[in-house]
């Protein structure tokens, strides 16, 4: 029933990329991959000039491939390949108003490549490096021209935010995105034991 409602909402305004993005994210959360992929494909047609359109579709394709790689290995490899091609576009293409998204996407590209089992690596070999991180938190949102901030309070009580983006234990917060969909990322290579609070 939820899938029907979400797809019906999307059909009401097929030219409204923001509405389609909300529905597609929700479908992806519910593991309704085919419907989510169809909506993200439509968003990519409408908003090819935004790196998030490429990234969103790439991530859902990779997630579907993760679920199929044992039962349908050949099909999963095709999904991984398309995912990597989309992410490579984000990394290699200049984006005027979306600063540093390529750095976050490069980590995602390398992680998906490692899971994919593919032999060819379309990006320059110098970009091939899987970052070993104990903890990675990525926040994206569905509204353009928005400023949402990721803050993380580490177990020591130290808060990492846009005004204090490096912590004493090595926690790092990416560039503050003030005009777009994110993503913003917190990562730490060797995490301190304890509770991390995400704000």
């Amino acid at each position: 029933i939820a899938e029907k409602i979400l797809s019906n909402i999307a059909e009401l305004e097929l030219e409204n990329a923001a509405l389609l993005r909300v529905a597609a994210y929700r479908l992806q959360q519910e593991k309704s991959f085919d419907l989510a992929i169809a909506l993200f494909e439509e968003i990519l047609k409408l908003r090819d000039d935004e790196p998030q359109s490429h990234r969103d579709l790439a991530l859902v394709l990779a997630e579907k491939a993760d679920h199929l790689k044992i039962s349908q290995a050949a099909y999963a490899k095709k999904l991984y390949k398309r995912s990597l091609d989309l992410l490579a576009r984000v990394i290699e293409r200049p984006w005027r108003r979306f600063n540093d998204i390529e750095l976050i996407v490069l980590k995602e590209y390398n992680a998906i490549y490692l899971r994919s089992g593919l032999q060819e690596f379309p990006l320059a070999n110098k970009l091939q490096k899987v970052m070993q991180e104990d903890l990675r938190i990525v926040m994206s949102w569905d509204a353009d021209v928005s400023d949402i901030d990721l803050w993380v309070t580490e177990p020591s009580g130290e808060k990492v935010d846009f005004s204090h983006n490096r912590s004493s234990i090595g926690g790092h917060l990416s560039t503050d995105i003030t005009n777009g969909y994110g993503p913003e990322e917190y990562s730490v290579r060797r995490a301190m034991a304890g509770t991390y609070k995400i704000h």
Side-chain angles (χ1 to χ4, degrees):
I1 293 171
E3 284 181 357
K4 282 183 186 175
I5 292 168
L6 285 167
S7 57
N8 286 343
I9 288 170
E11 285 172 17
L12 291 174
E13 292 192 61
L14 279 173
E15 299 298 312
N16 185 336
L19 179 64
L20 293 177
R21 192 172 264 125
V22 171
Y25 283 152
R26 192 70 188 105
L27 287 163
Q28 183 179 1
Q29 287 173 344
E30 295 302 319
K31 311 287 185 227
S32 184
F33 296 123
D34 292 333
L35 284 172
I37 288 167
L39 292 185
F40 282 129
E41 292 278 13
E42 191 62 34
I43 294 163
L44 182 60
K45 287 180 201 166
L46 295 170
R47 298 282 171 88
D48 178 67
D49 60 326
E50 296 175 346
Q52 290 81 2
S53 301
H54 300 264
R55 177 178 177 262
D56 288 340
L57 178 56
L59 294 180
V60 75
L61 287 167
E63 190 176 351
K64 180 175 180 180
D66 291 342
H67 281 78
L68 296 176
K69 73 179 178 183
I70 294 172
S71 62
Q72 298 179 47
Y75 180 50
K77 286 197 174 197
K78 287 181 184 176
L79 294 174
Y80 281 130
K81 175 77 170 76
R82 174 108 194 277
S83 173
L84 292 170
D85 288 343
L86 288 161
L87 293 177
R89 270 189 237 156
V90 175
I91 295 163
E92 295 174 330
R93 186 170 155 184
W95 304 99
R96 283 186 310 116
R97 66 183 186 99
F98 301 101
N99 298 333
D100 297 336
I101 190 170
E102 54 278 359
L103 300 175
I104 293 169
V105 169
L106 181 59
K107 287 183 187 180
E108 293 165 339
Y109 181 100
N110 278 295
I112 291 168
Y113 175 75
L114 188 67
R115 296 194 314 263
S116 73
L118 296 171
Q119 300 303 312
E120 67 275 7
F121 188 81
L123 292 174
N125 282 339
K126 66 182 180 181
L127 297 175
Q128 184 176 3
K129 182 173 177 158
V130 177
M131 296 296 295
Q132 297 297 325
E133 297 168 326
D134 285 346
L135 179 62
R136 180 172 183 257
I137 301 162
V138 180
M139 178 181 70
S140 302
W141 50 94
D142 53 41
D144 192 8
V145 195
S146 300
D147 182 12
I148 298 176
D149 294 315
L150 173 63
W151 297 354
V152 177
T153 303
E154 297 173 335
S156 64
E158 188 173 3
K159 184 188 264 186
V160 183
D161 60 30
F162 63 88
S163 64
H164 177 70
N165 68 347
R166 293 188 185 272
S167 72
S168 57
I169 66 164
H172 176 258
L173 187 66
S174 63
T175 302
D176 182 26
I177 305 295
T178 59
N179 185 21
Y181 308 92
E184 291 189 9
E185 174 194 64
Y186 167 87
S187 61
V188 59
R189 289 193 72 180
R190 288 188 173 68
M192 174 187 281
T195 301
Y196 289 75
K197 294 180 183 173
I198 304 167
H199 315 271

